[in-house]
């Protein structure tokens, strides 16, 4: 019986199947119910007791070796089959082009605005989205009872001391003034957060871009001329602007700026609601209190600031009627901006 066991072991070790079918046939022949190993097990029952120990070990070893070898051969064959399937069957076949992404319209508009102001000497400044009360409200001259501090408008992360999601990019102004000495000329794009119900014209997350210019002798005339230049560069040479008095805690005087409606040439249409004008930004001369809070001498320096919503500008530029489209990232929407300049 030892001879039979050794013979079978040798055949197992030397077995090299060419096909999976051959391997399976071999497995059945050796390990199957009517296989050679099973027959040897039967024979084992009849051997003399003094031989049982040695032969039992040999049989066990044979069974283990055979099972392991067959499993190994099987997994090798499967790997080879997978590798072959992945091989290019026809190297002359034209490849499939990966589709290129396109820039998001918000990024397109942001880049355009940054580019226009960089021509006027502005550099980009950045700041955190999670802010404290000082940088979003207190340093910007918001009185303690101002409604913007209310839970209704602001997402608070912690109360006392207040940690919150910034509600406007004006916080970057504060950080810049704390860090830098005048002259300061920065443009600050970023995401802002307000606790608003989501609709076609409002979202709880949107993008603003804010500008700040501080130096000796900066006047409201400088502000007006800078914004006129900006409007003409962004919307076209024929664009006019008008300023309406307004109020922000951090600027005095403050104004809201409208651009002439490009769609109707100022005659009045549904987009400008018949007025011929579209509101695009808020601005004003930086309040002396704000300069002082940020360590800048208001007797020596003056400056202006302006801020606008990027979604709003993008809506006007691309004629998008629903703000929510900017956040859904439906590729059918995004691909329409493939050819837009960035
Ligand atoms: N921060 C203002 C807003 O969120 C915009 C603004 C910026 C107004 C700078 C004036 C000056 O509405």
């Amino acid at each position: 019986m030892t001879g039979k066991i050794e013979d079978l072991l040798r055949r197992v070790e030397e077995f090299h199947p060419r096909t999976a079918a051959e391997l399976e046939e071999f497995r059945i022949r050796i390990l199957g119910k009517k296989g050679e190993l099973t027959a040897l097990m039967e024979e084992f029952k009849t051997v003399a007791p003094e031989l049982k120990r040695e032969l039992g070990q040999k049989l066990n070893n044979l069974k283990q070796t055979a099972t392991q070898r067959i499993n190994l051969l099987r997994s090798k064959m499967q790997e080879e089959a997978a590798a072959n399937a992945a091989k290019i069957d026809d190297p002359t076949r034209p490849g499939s082009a990966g589709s290129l992404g396109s820039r998001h319209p918000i990024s397109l508009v942001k880049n355009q605005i940054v580019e226009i102001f960089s021509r006027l000497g502005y550099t980009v400044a950045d700041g955190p989205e999670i802010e404290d009360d000082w940088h979003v409200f207190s340093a910007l001259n918001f009185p303690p009872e101002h409604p913007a501090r209310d839970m209704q408008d602001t997402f608070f992360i912690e109360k006392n001391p207040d940690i919150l999601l910034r509600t406007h990019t004006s916080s970057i102004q504060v950080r810049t003034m704390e860090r830098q000495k005048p002259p300061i000329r920065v443009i600050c794009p970023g995401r802002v957060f307000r606790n608003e119900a989501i609709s076609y014209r409002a979202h709880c997350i949107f993008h603003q871009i804010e500008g700040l210019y501080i130096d000796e002798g900066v006047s409201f005339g400088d502000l007006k001329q800078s914004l006129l230049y900006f409007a003409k560069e962004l919307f076209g040479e024929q664009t006019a602007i008008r300023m309406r008095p307004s109020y922000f805690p951090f600027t005095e005087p403050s104004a809201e700026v409208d651009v002439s409606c490009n769609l109707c040439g100022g005659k009045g249409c549904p987009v400008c609601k018949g007025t011929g004008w579209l509101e695009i930004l808020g601005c004003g001369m930086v309040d002396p209190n704000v300069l002082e809070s940020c360590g800048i001498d208001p007797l020596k320096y003056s400056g202006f600031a302006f801020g606008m919503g990027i979604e709003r500008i993008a809506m006007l530029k691309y004629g998008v009627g629903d703000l929510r489209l900017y956040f859904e990232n439906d590729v059918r929407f995004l691909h329409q901006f493939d050819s837009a300049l960035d």
Side-chain angles (χ1 to χ4, degrees), residues 140 142 167-171 173 192 194 206 208-211 247-251 254-256 281-286 304-309:
L140 288 161
F142 278 78
T167 56
H168 54 181
T169 42
S170 306
S171 53
Q173 278 189 41
V192 298
R194 287 184 198 176
F206 58 101
Q208 280 189 334
I209 194 158
E210 179 139 339
Y247 172 78
F248 299 102
F250 36 91
T251 47
S254 305
E256 231 132 12
L281 58 81
C283 65
M285 301 306 291
V286 181
F304 62 72
F306 54 86
M308 64 196 108

Side-chain angles (χ1 to χ4, degrees), residues 110-111 113-115 117-118 121-127 172 176 179-180 185-190 209-210:
K110 182 195 85 178
N111 291 349
I113 298 173
V114 166
E115 204 269 323
F117 281 103
S118 70
Y122 288 72
T123 51
V124 173
D126 203 358
I172 309 176
T176 308
R179 236 190 359 246
Q180 241 173 282
R185 221 178 302 181
V186 286
I187 188 97
C188 320
I209 194 158
E210 179 139 339

Side-chain angles (χ1 to χ4, degrees), residues 103 106-116 209 342:
R103 241 183 249 292
I106 296 299
S107 300
L108 290 172
V109 171
K110 182 195 85 178
N111 291 349
Q112 279 175 35
I113 298 173
V114 166
E115 204 269 323
I116 293 170
I209 194 158
D342 55 348

Side-chain angles (χ1 to χ4, degrees), residues 27-278:
R27 184 188 70 81
I28 294 169
R29 188 148 34 87
I30 307 296
L31 299 174
K33 270 202 187 116
K34 293 182 184 151
E36 293 184 40
L37 189 69
T38 323
L40 282 174
M41 295 286 194
E42 280 302 311
E43 195 179 330
F44 176 72
K45 288 179 187 159
T46 63
V47 301
E50 65 273 20
L51 293 176
K52 279 223 157 155
R53 188 178 148 84
E54 192 198 334
L55 281 176
Q57 271 175 3
K58 284 198 165 131
L59 262 181
N60 269 340
N61 174 39
L62 171 63
K63 191 178 176 187
Q64 242 185 21
T65 313
T67 317
Q68 275 172 5
R69 177 144 177 86
I70 286 168
N71 286 343
L72 182 78
L73 286 168
R74 187 187 294 130
S75 60
K76 257 197 190 154
M77 279 185 154
Q78 281 168 349
E79 266 169 36
E80 267 169 30
N84 281 339
K87 270 191 201 144
I88 303 166
D89 52 351
D90 176 4
T92 62
R93 218 163 55 181
S96 49
S99 64
L100 270 184
S102 53
R103 241 183 249 292
H104 195 284
I106 296 299
S107 300
L108 290 172
V109 171
K110 182 195 85 178
N111 291 349
Q112 279 175 35
I113 298 173
V114 166
E115 204 269 323
I116 293 170
F117 281 103
S118 70
R119 274 182 253 150
L120 294 176
Y122 288 72
T123 51
V124 173
D126 203 358
E129 292 177 350
I130 298 175
E131 270 289 9
D132 49 26
D133 174 275
W134 172 256
H135 291 95
V136 177
F137 298 131
S138 295
L140 288 161
N141 205 31
F142 278 78
E145 70 286 355
H146 196 280
R149 292 165 178 266
D150 197 330
M151 301 295 274
Q152 307 252 305
D153 291 296
T154 306
F155 289 115
F156 286 93
I157 294 171
E158 269 171 40
K159 287 295 254 171
N160 286 326
D162 290 353
I163 303 293
L164 43 104
L165 296 177
R166 68 179 176 203
T167 56
H168 54 181
T169 42
S170 306
S171 53
I172 309 176
Q173 278 189 41
V174 178
R175 288 186 177 273
T176 308
M177 287 190 277
E178 285 173 341
R179 236 190 359 246
Q180 241 173 282
K181 292 273 146 285
I184 294 172
R185 221 178 302 181
V186 286
I187 188 97
C188 320
R191 257 197 315 191
V192 298
F193 308 84
R194 287 184 198 176
N195 193 358
E196 300 213 24
I198 296 170
S199 72
Y200 73 96
R201 54 196 290 269
H203 208 290
C204 54
I205 304 176
F206 58 101
H207 298 76
Q208 280 189 334
I209 194 158
E210 179 139 339
L212 174 71
Y213 178 27
I214 298 189
D215 203 350
E216 287 180 44
V218 176
S219 71
F220 200 90
D222 296 328
L223 168 62
K224 196 172 163 191
Q225 195 55 37
S226 304
L227 293 180
L228 179 63
Y229 171 78
F230 162 69
K232 283 178 180 289
E233 289 296 299
L234 191 67
F235 293 108
E237 185 52 38
Q238 72 296 339
T239 309
I241 64 168
R242 76 174 182 188
M243 296 177 119
R244 287 176 289 108
S246 184
Y247 172 78
F248 299 102
F250 36 91
T251 47
E252 181 58 38
S254 305
E256 231 132 12
V257 176
D258 300 340
V259 291
S260 53
C261 179
N262 265 342
L263 286 173
C264 60
K267 284 199 281 293
C269 69
V271 175
C272 60
K273 300 196 182 85
T275 63
W277 295 96
L278 299 161

